[in-house]
Amino acid sequence: MNNLRFATAIHILVLAEKFQGQLITSDFIAGSINVNPVVVRREIRFLKEAGYINSKKGKEGGIFLTKNAADILLGDVYKIVNRENIFGKMNQTNPECPIGKQMNANLEVLFNKAESDLIKTLNHKTLKEFSDDFQ
């Protein structure tokens, strides 16, 4: 599941917001999340492509927030890192079964609605509001 990607991306963005004006390294971020820096660099790439952060290379390099944290909606971050439906793939059902042949179509409607509701809920909170929950 991709929910770790979302948690990692939010963690990176909160750190960038909390350390505004400073360059933070992927090693520092990885230490905070307790993951390999390679995992952090992958998410940094997505966040950079989305325009939320930028980076400076080199020994004194690191990442920094490029958008105002109050303008970053958590639902938008979720959509960037989760390209697949939150519920994942469906079973290959039996097309001869009266229930099986309809199951995936009905599940798709249900899953899409649930994910849409999740994104709406996340979009009620900005990165700034979420970051303010941390001391």
Side-chain angles (χ1 to χ4, degrees), residues 15-111:
L15 287 171
E17 197 276 329
K18 289 296 187 187
F19 289 92
Q20 283 186 27
Q22 300 176 48
L23 295 172
I24 54 174
T25 67
S26 56
D27 287 339
F28 175 81
I29 296 166
S32 179
I33 301 173
N34 200 25
V35 296
N36 189 299
V38 172
V39 172
V40 170
R41 287 186 203 105
R42 183 185 66 221
E43 296 312 325
I44 284 173
R45 189 179 86 240
F46 283 102
L47 294 170
K48 193 173 177 180
E49 288 172 3
Y52 293 136
I53 61 173
N54 208 338
S55 61
K56 180 182 173 196
K57 294 187 189 255
K59 188 174 181 171
E60 302 295 316
I63 67 145
F64 55 94
L65 206 56
T66 57
K67 283 183 109 173
N68 187 322
D71 296 331
I72 298 174
L73 299 175
L74 298 187
D76 291 341
V77 176
Y78 172 86
K79 288 188 287 187
I80 288 165
V81 298
N82 287 294
R83 310 269 178 183
E84 293 180 7
N85 187 292
I86 190 172
F87 297 102
K89 298 179 191 228
M90 293 179 232
N91 295 318
Q92 285 198 322
T93 57
N94 181 351
E96 303 299 318
C97 173
I99 301 301
K101 70 181 178 184
Q102 299 175 66
M103 184 57 67
N104 286 345
N106 287 322
L107 281 175
E108 188 173 348
V109 170
L110 178 67
F111 291 176

